[in-house]
Amino acid sequence: MDTKQIEYIIKIAEENNITRAASKLYITQSALNQQLIKLEKELGTPLFHRSRTNWHLTEAGEIYVKNAKEMLRIKRDTYQMINDLTTGLRGHLSVGFTAGRGITMFTSAYAIFHQRYPNIIIEPKEGVVRELQKLISQGDLDIGFLTLTDVDRTTDIYETIYTEELFLAVPSGHPVARLAPNEPGVFATLDIRTLQYEPFVLMDKRSTMRTMINQIFAEAGFEPQILFETGNNHTIISMIQSNLSCGILTYYYVKTLPSGITCFRLPTRPTWEFTASYKKGRYLSDAARCFIDLMKSQWGNAGTISGELPK
C-alpha cells in the first residue's frame, strides 16, 4: 500500500512550511509541490493557505489530514496484525517515556525485550506527560509510560504498573528533621502546614505532578512560597540538599536519596500512578504487549514502602 502522498501532505501540515517539509522528507521542494498540486487538482480545492513563512490548512485540508492520519493508523495496525499472525518478530515499536525515571525503567526492560524480539526496532521518544499523551491520541506513539492522577487521564487506555506515594522532603539541618527516625526506610508523618513559611522548590506547571502538589497545598489551606520551579526531580533534590528549600518528591526518588535530605509522609498519603498508556481502539501488537508486561514484572513493586511510624 503506497501512502507516500498522504505522508507528504501530513508533513507539510506538521511543518507549516513546504521548504522544511521537503527537507525532512529528503525530496526537492519542487517535487513535493507537484505532489500537492496534483492532489489539490484531484480534490478540486486547495488544502493549504500559502504564504512565504507560514502554510496552514484550509477547512478542506483539516478534513484531509484528520482522515489521512486515520488511514495511516489503519495501515500500521493491519501490517502489525499480519506480522503477529506470521512471525511477530519484525517491525517497529515507538515507546514514550518521561525524563528521569523513564529512561532508567526503559533501558532495564529493553535489555530483556531485545533478547525476545531482536529484530523489532524500538523508536524511543522522551517528553513531558501531556506531550506524550498527545502523540498517543494522534496515533503517533504506540505506548507511553506516564505518571499521573485520574484528573490527568485522557480517553485513551491506561494500565497501572504501580501506585506511588508523594513525600515531604526537607534539608536534614532543618529543625523538623529531628522528628524523623534513624531507621532506614521508616518514615514519620508531618503536617505540611508546619512548613508554610518555608520556601519550596516544586515541579513546574507543565508537570502532571504539579496537579497533585497543588491539591496538597489547597487541602492544607495555604499557598507555598515558591523559590524555584523546575521540570527535573534531580534539581529539586540538589536544592533541598543544598539547604535552600523544602520540596515534594515521589517515592521513586525518596528510596535512593543522597545524604542531607530527610523525608516525611503526609497525613493524607497522596498518591498517583505510574501507567502504561496506548490509544483506545488501536491494535496492540504482541511486541507492545510484551514490553508492557516486562515493565509490570520489573517495576510492579516499585511503589512498595517498607515501613512507617505509628500515626
mmCIF file of all heavy atoms in Angstrom, residues 257-301:
data_model
loop_
_atom_site.group_PDB
_atom_site.id
_atom_site.type_symbol
_atom_site.label_atom_id
_atom_site.label_comp_id
_atom_site.label_asym_id
_atom_site.label_seq_id
_atom_site.Cartn_x
_atom_site.Cartn_y
_atom_site.Cartn_z
ATOM 1 N N LEU A 257 17.623 8.525 47.985
ATOM 2 C CA LEU A 257 18.108 9.881 48.195
ATOM 3 C C LEU A 257 19.534 9.908 48.744
ATOM 4 O O LEU A 257 19.936 9.039 49.529
ATOM 5 C CB LEU A 257 17.195 10.618 49.171
ATOM 6 C CG LEU A 257 15.890 11.182 48.622
ATOM 7 C CD1 LEU A 257 15.084 11.808 49.743
ATOM 8 C CD2 LEU A 257 16.148 12.206 47.527
ATOM 9 N N PRO A 258 20.309 10.927 48.354
ATOM 10 C CA PRO A 258 21.637 11.110 48.939
ATOM 11 C C PRO A 258 21.512 11.651 50.363
ATOM 12 O O PRO A 258 20.415 12.003 50.814
ATOM 13 C CB PRO A 258 22.284 12.148 48.015
ATOM 14 C CG PRO A 258 21.124 12.936 47.488
ATOM 15 C CD PRO A 258 20.005 11.944 47.336
ATOM 16 N N SER A 259 22.604 11.740 51.080
ATOM 17 C CA SER A 259 22.580 12.278 52.435
ATOM 18 C C SER A 259 22.234 13.763 52.389
ATOM 19 O O SER A 259 22.388 14.423 51.362
ATOM 20 C CB SER A 259 23.951 12.082 53.097
ATOM 21 O OG SER A 259 24.954 12.764 52.344
ATOM 22 N N GLY A 260 21.747 14.270 53.521
ATOM 23 C CA GLY A 260 21.430 15.686 53.598
ATOM 24 C C GLY A 260 19.966 16.008 53.394
ATOM 25 O O GLY A 260 19.572 17.174 53.446
ATOM 26 N N ILE A 261 19.137 14.983 53.143
ATOM 27 C CA ILE A 261 17.704 15.185 52.944
ATOM 28 C C ILE A 261 16.918 14.246 53.853
ATOM 29 O O ILE A 261 17.241 13.058 53.949
ATOM 30 C CB ILE A 261 17.302 14.946 51.478
ATOM 31 C CG1 ILE A 261 18.071 15.876 50.543
ATOM 32 C CG2 ILE A 261 15.798 15.135 51.294
ATOM 33 C CD1 ILE A 261 17.781 15.661 49.080
ATOM 34 N N THR A 262 15.914 14.775 54.511
ATOM 35 C CA THR A 262 15.048 13.981 55.388
ATOM 36 C C THR A 262 13.617 14.037 54.847
ATOM 37 O O THR A 262 13.140 15.105 54.473
ATOM 38 C CB THR A 262 15.080 14.530 56.824
ATOM 39 O OG1 THR A 262 16.432 14.476 57.310
ATOM 40 C CG2 THR A 262 14.189 13.710 57.746
ATOM 41 N N CYS A 263 12.966 12.886 54.824
ATOM 42 C CA CYS A 263 11.627 12.807 54.234
ATOM 43 C C CYS A 263 10.571 12.386 55.249
ATOM 44 O O CYS A 263 10.850 11.618 56.175
ATOM 45 C CB CYS A 263 11.623 11.834 53.062
ATOM 46 S SG CYS A 263 12.555 12.444 51.639
ATOM 47 N N PHE A 264 9.364 12.898 55.047
ATOM 48 C CA PHE A 264 8.218 12.575 55.885
ATOM 49 C C PHE A 264 7.035 12.196 55.003
ATOM 50 O O PHE A 264 6.886 12.712 53.889
ATOM 51 C CB PHE A 264 7.811 13.783 56.737
ATOM 52 C CG PHE A 264 8.828 14.199 57.750
ATOM 53 C CD1 PHE A 264 9.803 15.137 57.420
ATOM 54 C CD2 PHE A 264 8.819 13.670 59.033
ATOM 55 C CE1 PHE A 264 10.745 15.540 58.353
ATOM 56 C CE2 PHE A 264 9.758 14.063 59.979
ATOM 57 C CZ PHE A 264 10.725 15.003 59.631
ATOM 58 N N ARG A 265 6.188 11.320 55.523
ATOM 59 C CA ARG A 265 4.924 11.049 54.863
ATOM 60 C C ARG A 265 3.934 12.135 55.240
ATOM 61 O O ARG A 265 4.023 12.741 56.317
ATOM 62 C CB ARG A 265 4.389 9.673 55.272
ATOM 63 C CG ARG A 265 5.326 8.530 54.924
ATOM 64 C CD ARG A 265 4.766 7.192 55.300
ATOM 65 N NE ARG A 265 3.850 6.702 54.272
ATOM 66 C CZ ARG A 265 3.316 5.476 54.307
ATOM 67 N NH1 ARG A 265 3.586 4.653 55.297
ATOM 68 N NH2 ARG A 265 2.514 5.086 53.345
ATOM 69 N N LEU A 266 3.008 12.416 54.351
ATOM 70 C CA LEU A 266 1.972 13.404 54.596
ATOM 71 C C LEU A 266 0.738 12.727 55.187
ATOM 72 O O LEU A 266 0.468 11.560 54.888
ATOM 73 C CB LEU A 266 1.612 14.113 53.292
ATOM 74 C CG LEU A 266 2.719 15.039 52.752
ATOM 75 C CD1 LEU A 266 2.530 15.287 51.256
ATOM 76 C CD2 LEU A 266 2.734 16.351 53.514
ATOM 77 N N PRO A 267 -0.007 13.401 56.037
ATOM 78 C CA PRO A 267 -1.176 12.778 56.687
ATOM 79 C C PRO A 267 -2.191 12.209 55.707
ATOM 80 O O PRO A 267 -2.825 11.182 55.986
ATOM 81 C CB PRO A 267 -1.782 13.938 57.501
ATOM 82 C CG PRO A 267 -0.637 14.862 57.745
ATOM 83 C CD PRO A 267 0.225 14.771 56.512
ATOM 84 N N THR A 268 -2.346 12.849 54.535
ATOM 85 C CA THR A 268 -3.359 12.394 53.574
ATOM 86 C C THR A 268 -2.864 11.262 52.675
ATOM 87 O O THR A 268 -3.636 10.729 51.867
ATOM 88 C CB THR A 268 -3.815 13.566 52.692
ATOM 89 O OG1 THR A 268 -2.662 14.144 52.053
ATOM 90 C CG2 THR A 268 -4.526 14.624 53.528
ATOM 91 N N ARG A 269 -1.584 10.915 52.760
ATOM 92 C CA ARG A 269 -0.984 9.848 51.938
ATOM 93 C C ARG A 269 -1.298 10.035 50.442
ATOM 94 O O ARG A 269 -1.876 9.151 49.790
ATOM 95 C CB ARG A 269 -1.460 8.467 52.382
ATOM 96 C CG ARG A 269 -1.157 8.119 53.836
ATOM 97 C CD ARG A 269 0.323 7.895 54.050
ATOM 98 N NE ARG A 269 0.597 7.331 55.349
ATOM 99 C CZ ARG A 269 0.904 8.040 56.446
ATOM 100 N NH1 ARG A 269 0.959 9.367 56.352
ATOM 101 N NH2 ARG A 269 1.150 7.451 57.586
ATOM 102 N N PRO A 270 -0.972 11.190 49.847
ATOM 103 C CA PRO A 270 -1.296 11.422 48.428
ATOM 104 C C PRO A 270 -0.541 10.465 47.514
ATOM 105 O O PRO A 270 0.656 10.197 47.711
ATOM 106 C CB PRO A 270 -0.834 12.873 48.200
ATOM 107 C CG PRO A 270 0.241 13.088 49.234
ATOM 108 C CD PRO A 270 -0.200 12.303 50.432
ATOM 109 N N THR A 271 -1.222 9.945 46.523
ATOM 110 C CA THR A 271 -0.604 9.009 45.579
ATOM 111 C C THR A 271 -0.997 9.352 44.148
ATOM 112 O O THR A 271 -2.011 10.000 43.905
ATOM 113 C CB THR A 271 -1.029 7.554 45.861
ATOM 114 O OG1 THR A 271 -2.452 7.438 45.707
ATOM 115 C CG2 THR A 271 -0.603 7.103 47.239
ATOM 116 N N TRP A 272 -0.165 8.899 43.214
ATOM 117 C CA TRP A 272 -0.503 8.930 41.803
ATOM 118 C C TRP A 272 -0.058 7.605 41.214
ATOM 119 O O TRP A 272 0.420 6.728 41.946
ATOM 120 C CB TRP A 272 0.102 10.133 41.090
ATOM 121 C CG TRP A 272 1.618 10.146 40.985
ATOM 122 C CD1 TRP A 272 2.504 9.324 41.612
ATOM 123 C CD2 TRP A 272 2.384 11.053 40.215
ATOM 124 N NE1 TRP A 272 3.781 9.652 41.274
ATOM 125 C CE2 TRP A 272 3.751 10.706 40.420
ATOM 126 C CE3 TRP A 272 2.093 12.105 39.364
ATOM 127 C CZ2 TRP A 272 4.799 11.399 39.800
ATOM 128 C CZ3 TRP A 272 3.130 12.789 38.758
ATOM 129 C CH2 TRP A 272 4.460 12.443 38.986
ATOM 130 N N GLU A 273 -0.216 7.422 39.914
ATOM 131 C CA GLU A 273 0.064 6.117 39.323
ATOM 132 C C GLU A 273 1.080 6.201 38.191
ATOM 133 O O GLU A 273 1.065 7.155 37.396
ATOM 134 C CB GLU A 273 -1.229 5.482 38.799
ATOM 135 C CG GLU A 273 -2.201 5.119 39.904
ATOM 136 C CD GLU A 273 -3.459 4.451 39.375
ATOM 137 O OE1 GLU A 273 -3.798 4.666 38.195
ATOM 138 O OE2 GLU A 273 -4.096 3.696 40.135
ATOM 139 N N PHE A 274 1.951 5.212 38.147
ATOM 140 C CA PHE A 274 2.837 5.018 37.009
ATOM 141 C C PHE A 274 2.123 4.041 36.089
ATOM 142 O O PHE A 274 1.781 2.922 36.497
ATOM 143 C CB PHE A 274 4.188 4.468 37.457
ATOM 144 C CG PHE A 274 5.145 4.243 36.317
ATOM 145 C CD1 PHE A 274 5.687 5.315 35.627
ATOM 146 C CD2 PHE A 274 5.503 2.957 35.928
ATOM 147 C CE1 PHE A 274 6.565 5.118 34.573
ATOM 148 C CE2 PHE A 274 6.373 2.757 34.872
ATOM 149 C CZ PHE A 274 6.912 3.837 34.198
ATOM 150 N N THR A 275 1.862 4.458 34.846
ATOM 151 C CA THR A 275 0.999 3.689 33.962
ATOM 152 C C THR A 275 1.632 3.431 32.598
ATOM 153 O O THR A 275 2.553 4.129 32.176
ATOM 154 C CB THR A 275 -0.329 4.446 33.715
ATOM 155 O OG1 THR A 275 -0.044 5.634 32.955
ATOM 156 C CG2 THR A 275 -0.996 4.825 35.014
ATOM 157 N N ALA A 276 1.084 2.438 31.925
ATOM 158 C CA ALA A 276 1.360 2.213 30.506
ATOM 159 C C ALA A 276 0.116 2.670 29.757
ATOM 160 O O ALA A 276 -0.999 2.261 30.080
ATOM 161 C CB ALA A 276 1.633 0.738 30.230
ATOM 162 N N SER A 277 0.299 3.545 28.771
ATOM 163 C CA SER A 277 -0.844 4.097 28.055
ATOM 164 C C SER A 277 -0.715 3.840 26.562
ATOM 165 O O SER A 277 0.380 3.856 26.004
ATOM 166 C CB SER A 277 -0.941 5.610 28.311
ATOM 167 O OG SER A 277 -2.037 6.170 27.604
ATOM 168 N N TYR A 278 -1.874 3.590 25.907
ATOM 169 C CA TYR A 278 -1.906 3.431 24.460
ATOM 170 C C TYR A 278 -3.276 3.866 23.949
ATOM 171 O O TYR A 278 -4.242 3.981 24.717
ATOM 172 C CB TYR A 278 -1.590 2.000 24.025
ATOM 173 C CG TYR A 278 -2.336 0.927 24.781
ATOM 174 C CD1 TYR A 278 -3.547 0.426 24.316
ATOM 175 C CD2 TYR A 278 -1.811 0.386 25.963
ATOM 176 C CE1 TYR A 278 -4.229 -0.564 25.002
ATOM 177 C CE2 TYR A 278 -2.485 -0.602 26.657
ATOM 178 C CZ TYR A 278 -3.689 -1.075 26.181
ATOM 179 O OH TYR A 278 -4.360 -2.057 26.867
ATOM 180 N N LYS A 279 -3.342 4.134 22.657
ATOM 181 C CA LYS A 279 -4.548 4.712 22.066
ATOM 182 C C LYS A 279 -5.729 3.753 22.149
ATOM 183 O O LYS A 279 -5.609 2.574 21.808
ATOM 184 C CB LYS A 279 -4.292 5.092 20.603
ATOM 185 C CG LYS A 279 -5.469 5.784 19.919
ATOM 186 C CD LYS A 279 -5.101 6.232 18.516
ATOM 187 C CE LYS A 279 -6.281 6.850 17.781
ATOM 188 N NZ LYS A 279 -6.796 8.045 18.472
ATOM 189 N N LYS A 280 -6.850 4.277 22.580
ATOM 190 C CA LYS A 280 -8.071 3.486 22.651
ATOM 191 C C LYS A 280 -8.506 3.080 21.248
ATOM 192 O O LYS A 280 -8.552 3.900 20.337
ATOM 193 C CB LYS A 280 -9.179 4.298 23.319
ATOM 194 C CG LYS A 280 -10.470 3.523 23.540
ATOM 195 C CD LYS A 280 -11.491 4.372 24.273
ATOM 196 C CE LYS A 280 -12.768 3.600 24.534
ATOM 197 N NZ LYS A 280 -13.773 4.420 25.267
ATOM 198 N N GLY A 281 -8.788 1.806 21.062
ATOM 199 C CA GLY A 281 -9.235 1.303 19.774
ATOM 200 C C GLY A 281 -8.116 0.918 18.833
ATOM 201 O O GLY A 281 -8.370 0.353 17.765
ATOM 202 N N ARG A 282 -6.885 1.172 19.228
ATOM 203 C CA ARG A 282 -5.767 0.819 18.361
ATOM 204 C C ARG A 282 -5.301 -0.599 18.655
ATOM 205 O O ARG A 282 -5.330 -1.053 19.806
ATOM 206 C CB ARG A 282 -4.614 1.798 18.579
ATOM 207 C CG ARG A 282 -3.407 1.516 17.693
ATOM 208 C CD ARG A 282 -2.381 2.622 17.778
ATOM 209 N NE ARG A 282 -1.256 2.355 16.905
ATOM 210 C CZ ARG A 282 -0.252 3.203 16.703
ATOM 211 N NH1 ARG A 282 -0.242 4.375 17.307
ATOM 212 N NH2 ARG A 282 0.739 2.896 15.891
ATOM 213 N N TYR A 283 -4.870 -1.296 17.619
ATOM 214 C CA TYR A 283 -4.366 -2.650 17.793
ATOM 215 C C TYR A 283 -3.061 -2.618 18.574
ATOM 216 O O TYR A 283 -2.137 -1.872 18.241
ATOM 217 C CB TYR A 283 -4.141 -3.310 16.438
ATOM 218 C CG TYR A 283 -3.515 -4.684 16.533
ATOM 219 C CD1 TYR A 283 -4.247 -5.771 16.995
ATOM 220 C CD2 TYR A 283 -2.179 -4.885 16.170
ATOM 221 C CE1 TYR A 283 -3.671 -7.029 17.090
ATOM 222 C CE2 TYR A 283 -1.606 -6.133 16.263
ATOM 223 C CZ TYR A 283 -2.353 -7.204 16.720
ATOM 224 O OH TYR A 283 -1.775 -8.447 16.812
ATOM 225 N N LEU A 284 -2.985 -3.416 19.638
ATOM 226 C CA LEU A 284 -1.773 -3.511 20.447
ATOM 227 C C LEU A 284 -1.008 -4.758 20.017
ATOM 228 O O LEU A 284 -1.475 -5.881 20.192
ATOM 229 C CB LEU A 284 -2.125 -3.591 21.937
ATOM 230 C CG LEU A 284 -0.968 -3.393 22.918
ATOM 231 C CD1 LEU A 284 -0.421 -1.966 22.840
ATOM 232 C CD2 LEU A 284 -1.425 -3.702 24.341
ATOM 233 N N SER A 285 0.156 -4.561 19.434
ATOM 234 C CA SER A 285 0.938 -5.686 18.903
ATOM 235 C C SER A 285 1.444 -6.583 20.021
ATOM 236 O O SER A 285 1.494 -6.200 21.197
ATOM 237 C CB SER A 285 2.120 -5.156 18.097
ATOM 238 O OG SER A 285 3.071 -4.540 18.955
ATOM 239 N N ASP A 286 1.855 -7.787 19.648
ATOM 240 C CA ASP A 286 2.437 -8.715 20.619
ATOM 241 C C ASP A 286 3.685 -8.118 21.261
ATOM 242 O O ASP A 286 3.933 -8.286 22.455
ATOM 243 C CB ASP A 286 2.802 -10.039 19.933
ATOM 244 C CG ASP A 286 1.568 -10.828 19.515
ATOM 245 O OD1 ASP A 286 0.456 -10.477 19.966
ATOM 246 O OD2 ASP A 286 1.716 -11.783 18.736
ATOM 247 N N ALA A 287 4.487 -7.404 20.462
ATOM 248 C CA ALA A 287 5.702 -6.785 20.979
ATOM 249 C C ALA A 287 5.373 -5.703 22.005
ATOM 250 O O ALA A 287 6.017 -5.611 23.057
ATOM 251 C CB ALA A 287 6.525 -6.200 19.830
ATOM 252 N N ALA A 288 4.365 -4.892 21.719
ATOM 253 C CA ALA A 288 3.954 -3.845 22.657
ATOM 254 C C ALA A 288 3.429 -4.451 23.950
ATOM 255 O O ALA A 288 3.737 -3.999 25.053
ATOM 256 C CB ALA A 288 2.896 -2.950 22.024
ATOM 257 N N ARG A 289 2.617 -5.525 23.812
ATOM 258 C CA ARG A 289 2.100 -6.211 24.989
ATOM 259 C C ARG A 289 3.239 -6.785 25.834
ATOM 260 O O ARG A 289 3.229 -6.684 27.069
ATOM 261 C CB ARG A 289 1.171 -7.332 24.532
ATOM 262 C CG ARG A 289 0.527 -8.162 25.636
ATOM 263 C CD ARG A 289 -0.588 -7.411 26.306
ATOM 264 N NE ARG A 289 -0.128 -6.719 27.504
ATOM 265 C CZ ARG A 289 -0.815 -5.756 28.099
ATOM 266 N NH1 ARG A 289 -1.965 -5.347 27.614
ATOM 267 N NH2 ARG A 289 -0.341 -5.174 29.184
ATOM 268 N N CYS A 290 4.244 -7.314 25.166
ATOM 269 C CA CYS A 290 5.401 -7.867 25.859
ATOM 270 C C CYS A 290 6.141 -6.789 26.633
ATOM 271 O O CYS A 290 6.529 -6.986 27.785
ATOM 272 C CB CYS A 290 6.341 -8.543 24.853
ATOM 273 S SG CYS A 290 7.901 -9.118 25.580
ATOM 274 N N PHE A 291 6.316 -5.613 26.004
ATOM 275 C CA PHE A 291 7.056 -4.544 26.669
ATOM 276 C C PHE A 291 6.315 -4.067 27.915
ATOM 277 O O PHE A 291 6.920 -3.836 28.964
ATOM 278 C CB PHE A 291 7.280 -3.377 25.708
ATOM 279 C CG PHE A 291 8.490 -2.553 26.053
ATOM 280 C CD1 PHE A 291 9.676 -2.728 25.379
ATOM 281 C CD2 PHE A 291 8.438 -1.621 27.081
ATOM 282 C CE1 PHE A 291 10.799 -1.985 25.715
ATOM 283 C CE2 PHE A 291 9.551 -0.878 27.426
ATOM 284 C CZ PHE A 291 10.739 -1.054 26.735
ATOM 285 N N ILE A 292 4.998 -3.940 27.820
ATOM 286 C CA ILE A 292 4.207 -3.523 28.981
ATOM 287 C C ILE A 292 4.315 -4.556 30.096
ATOM 288 O O ILE A 292 4.500 -4.220 31.275
ATOM 289 C CB ILE A 292 2.740 -3.319 28.580
ATOM 290 C CG1 ILE A 292 2.606 -2.105 27.651
ATOM 291 C CG2 ILE A 292 1.856 -3.128 29.815
ATOM 292 C CD1 ILE A 292 1.224 -1.924 27.058
ATOM 293 N N ASP A 293 4.207 -5.831 29.742
ATOM 294 C CA ASP A 293 4.278 -6.891 30.750
ATOM 295 C C ASP A 293 5.650 -6.942 31.412
ATOM 296 O O ASP A 293 5.762 -7.229 32.615
ATOM 297 C CB ASP A 293 3.942 -8.244 30.123
ATOM 298 C CG ASP A 293 2.471 -8.363 29.737
ATOM 299 O OD1 ASP A 293 1.664 -7.550 30.236
ATOM 300 O OD2 ASP A 293 2.138 -9.249 28.930
ATOM 301 N N LEU A 294 6.708 -6.658 30.641
ATOM 302 C CA LEU A 294 8.049 -6.611 31.220
ATOM 303 C C LEU A 294 8.160 -5.477 32.236
ATOM 304 O O LEU A 294 8.759 -5.637 33.307
ATOM 305 C CB LEU A 294 9.093 -6.425 30.123
ATOM 306 C CG LEU A 294 9.466 -7.660 29.307
ATOM 307 C CD1 LEU A 294 10.383 -7.278 28.148
ATOM 308 C CD2 LEU A 294 10.148 -8.691 30.195
ATOM 309 N N MET A 295 7.594 -4.332 31.909
ATOM 310 C CA MET A 295 7.622 -3.201 32.837
ATOM 311 C C MET A 295 6.865 -3.547 34.121
ATOM 312 O O MET A 295 7.296 -3.196 35.230
ATOM 313 C CB MET A 295 7.013 -1.977 32.169
ATOM 314 C CG MET A 295 7.854 -1.399 31.048
ATOM 315 S SD MET A 295 9.348 -0.566 31.627
ATOM 316 C CE MET A 295 8.680 1.010 32.143
ATOM 317 N N LYS A 296 5.747 -4.251 33.980
ATOM 318 C CA LYS A 296 4.979 -4.646 35.165
ATOM 319 C C LYS A 296 5.753 -5.633 36.027
ATOM 320 O O LYS A 296 5.776 -5.516 37.257
ATOM 321 C CB LYS A 296 3.642 -5.267 34.741
ATOM 322 C CG LYS A 296 2.632 -4.261 34.208
ATOM 323 C CD LYS A 296 1.323 -4.957 33.853
ATOM 324 C CE LYS A 296 0.282 -3.945 33.386
ATOM 325 N NZ LYS A 296 -1.008 -4.579 33.041
ATOM 326 N N SER A 297 6.403 -6.604 35.386
ATOM 327 C CA SER A 297 7.129 -7.623 36.150
ATOM 328 C C SER A 297 8.365 -7.043 36.826
ATOM 329 O O SER A 297 8.735 -7.454 37.934
ATOM 330 C CB SER A 297 7.528 -8.788 35.242
ATOM 331 O OG SER A 297 8.457 -8.372 34.249
ATOM 332 N N GLN A 298 9.010 -6.071 36.192
ATOM 333 C CA GLN A 298 10.234 -5.499 36.756
ATOM 334 C C GLN A 298 9.971 -4.393 37.762
ATOM 335 O O GLN A 298 10.751 -4.208 38.696
ATOM 336 C CB GLN A 298 11.123 -4.966 35.633
ATOM 337 C CG GLN A 298 11.753 -6.041 34.770
ATOM 338 C CD GLN A 298 12.891 -5.498 33.925
ATOM 339 O OE1 GLN A 298 13.192 -4.321 33.943
ATOM 340 N NE2 GLN A 298 13.538 -6.364 33.187
ATOM 341 N N TRP A 299 8.881 -3.647 37.569
ATOM 342 C CA TRP A 299 8.668 -2.450 38.378
ATOM 343 C C TRP A 299 7.358 -2.463 39.156
ATOM 344 O O TRP A 299 7.022 -1.480 39.816
ATOM 345 C CB TRP A 299 8.700 -1.215 37.480
ATOM 346 C CG TRP A 299 10.025 -1.041 36.804
ATOM 347 C CD1 TRP A 299 10.365 -1.406 35.536
ATOM 348 C CD2 TRP A 299 11.215 -0.484 37.379
ATOM 349 N NE1 TRP A 299 11.685 -1.103 35.275
ATOM 350 C CE2 TRP A 299 12.227 -0.529 36.390
ATOM 351 C CE3 TRP A 299 11.505 0.065 38.631
ATOM 352 C CZ2 TRP A 299 13.516 -0.068 36.628
ATOM 353 C CZ3 TRP A 299 12.792 0.537 38.864
ATOM 354 C CH2 TRP A 299 13.790 0.466 37.877
ATOM 355 N N GLY A 300 6.638 -3.562 39.120
ATOM 356 C CA GLY A 300 5.338 -3.611 39.776
ATOM 357 C C GLY A 300 5.360 -3.350 41.265
ATOM 358 O O GLY A 300 4.361 -2.912 41.845
ATOM 359 N N ASN A 301 6.507 -3.609 41.918
ATOM 360 C CA ASN A 301 6.618 -3.388 43.360
ATOM 361 C C ASN A 301 7.399 -2.124 43.691
ATOM 362 O O ASN A 301 7.768 -1.897 44.848
ATOM 363 C CB ASN A 301 7.294 -4.588 44.034
ATOM 364 C CG ASN A 301 6.448 -5.843 43.952
ATOM 365 O OD1 ASN A 301 5.225 -5.782 44.065
ATOM 366 N ND2 ASN A 301 7.086 -6.987 43.750
#
